[in-house]
Amino acid sequence: MPHLLTLDGMPRERILALLDRAQLFAEGHDLRGSLAGTAVCTLFFEPSTRTRMSFHLAAQRLGADVLNFDASTSSTRKGETALDTLRNLEAMGVRGFVVRHSEDGAVAALARRVRPGTALINAGDGRSAHPTQGLLDMLTLRQAKGDAFERLTVLIVGDVRHSRVARSDLHALRTLGAGEIRVCGPQALLPDDGTLAGCAVSHDLDAALDGVDVVMMLRLQRERMEEGLVSSLEDYHRTYGLTAQRLRRAKPDAVVMHPGPINRGVEITDEVADGPQSLILRQVHNGVAVRMAVLESLLG
Ligand code: CP
């Protein structure tokens, strides 16, 4: 596989192999150096903290030379296209590109135009896919709950319509055989394009939380939202915010995840985000290991 564009259709064995390798990296095994002499560029046309920094660290830990492309100070400001930018970096010898773009399908479109031997990793395109987030979420879930995904009831809450994270999580959860997948959010923020096939859909968060093992909260993607989809943040929090009181409806050992960045006090309270059931910083920690596994598998 020359690129990583989506988890849709990725075989279970490949997902598990990446998670196994990432687990070794997460445990600190000394597996460095496999990308010595390889140049990797993080090519982000949208903001990022976690994905960009963790890819940078992951590539460095594997011994790669890492270039950080900053769109705001680049020649894209003079009108240079993403494809020309990528081709110029390819000409300098860059072999791996970690690309984030606001348009659905933009990374796949670039991948069709690169040289043989160049690898692209989708670091989030529009609402479509964020495959390394999906993988790091599965690694985090596996560490917390074990391999038996079929025993888990997983609830995804919030703005699924605009979320590439939710789509990649759904692809991975289905492939790994999650027992039950519930989705909860306001009608206006749930997709009607088949994304939720097979999920139990609800608009009542209290009912949806009953007996779940895992709660995956999503950020309100206001940058991708039409005006008026959410009446007010206070209303949203009242109806769909995860509070400590609400979380008591889940199983006592339920875990809470969120891909970040968090809108504190909107989709989740401080008490839950920073509480004992939260895996949010564990997700971030695992992001480095998963990205090491992905870079190694494509470029090593
Ligand atoms: N989870 C995630 O993609 O975070 P960033 O936007 O900060 O990379």
Side-chain angles (χ1 to χ4, degrees):
M1 188 178 70
H3 310 292
L4 175 59
L5 302 175
T6 178
L7 298 183
D8 192 8
M10 182 181 281
R12 176 186 165 84
E13 296 67 35
R14 175 147 173 77
I15 292 180
L16 291 175
L18 285 168
L19 298 187
D20 288 345
R21 192 69 177 152
Q23 182 63 38
L24 287 179
F25 287 128
E27 287 168 7
H29 288 273
D30 189 11
L31 301 165
R32 301 174 183 207
S34 59
L35 295 193
T38 302
V40 173
C41 179
T42 56
L43 193 59
F44 279 50
F45 297 96
E46 264 197 347
S48 167
T49 297
R50 281 148 289 272
T51 311
R52 185 179 185 130
M53 294 298 118
S54 58
F55 263 114
H56 190 121
L57 208 47
Q60 264 183 346
R61 287 191 178 162
L62 293 170
D65 301 319
V66 191
L67 302 180
N68 257 314
F69 168 84
D70 177 1
S72 68
T73 56
S74 76
S75 288
T76 57
R77 296 291 299 271
K78 303 177 212 163
E80 190 165 37
T81 64
L83 180 59
D84 278 333
T85 303
L86 191 149
R87 282 190 168 147
N88 277 270
L89 290 160
E90 252 185 338
M92 294 176 205
V94 176
R95 276 193 56 222
F97 291 90
V98 180
V99 187
R100 173 169 286 189
H101 203 285
S102 58
E103 285 174 29
D104 296 300
V107 186
L110 288 171
R112 288 193 286 273
R113 309 285 296 275
V114 297
R115 291 180 186 166
T118 295
L120 262 64
I121 299 168
N122 185 357
D125 63 321
R127 314 169 180 198
S128 298
H130 193 349
T132 57
Q133 181 74 43
L135 290 170
L136 76 87
D137 286 349
M138 295 310 111
L139 181 65
T140 307
L141 209 44
R142 198 169 73 159
Q143 289 171 351
K145 295 288 178 189
D147 288 323
F149 279 78
E150 68 278 4
R151 292 207 201 117
L152 297 181
T153 299
V154 180
L155 170 63
I156 301 178
V157 183
D159 182 7
V160 182
R161 180 181 287 265
H162 301 98
S163 176
R164 53 199 177 204
V165 173
R167 285 175 177 78
S168 286
D169 280 339
L170 284 167
H171 290 144
L173 286 167
R174 286 187 186 117
T175 304
L176 295 177
E180 183 182 346
I181 306 175
R182 300 182 193 171
V183 171
C184 181
Q187 186 67 48
L189 297 184
L190 298 183
D192 50 12
D193 56 2
T195 299
L196 303 184
C199 301
V201 176
S202 158
H203 308 298
D204 177 345
L205 180 55
D206 291 303
L209 277 163
D210 265 338
V212 301
D213 299 283
V214 182
V215 190
M216 293 179 149
M217 301 304 295
L218 297 173
R219 180 173 71 87
L220 274 184
Q221 308 254 314
R222 281 176 282 174
E223 72 276 23
R224 292 184 223 289
M225 221 177 259
E226 296 152 34
E227 281 291 313
L229 272 189
V230 171
S231 54
S232 79
L233 297 183
E234 291 74 21
D235 278 352
Y236 184 85
H237 180 68
R238 226 178 346 267
T239 319
Y240 293 107
L242 186 62
T243 62
Q245 189 187 354
R246 275 200 166 122
L247 184 56
R248 286 191 206 108
R249 301 184 76 110
K251 284 192 183 153
D253 62 350
V255 292
V256 176
M257 300 169 73
H258 189 304
I262 300 171
N263 293 309
R264 287 177 178 267
V266 180
E267 62 258 0
I268 192 166
T269 60
D270 290 345
E271 194 182 1
V272 177
D274 304 328
Q277 287 166 275
S278 171
L279 296 181
I280 295 171
L281 292 178
R282 170 59 46 181
Q283 290 170 266
V284 177
H285 177 80
N286 284 333
V288 179
V290 157
R291 287 159 180 145
M292 287 173 79
V294 167
L295 286 165
E296 181 194 61
S297 78
L298 295 180
L299 295 165

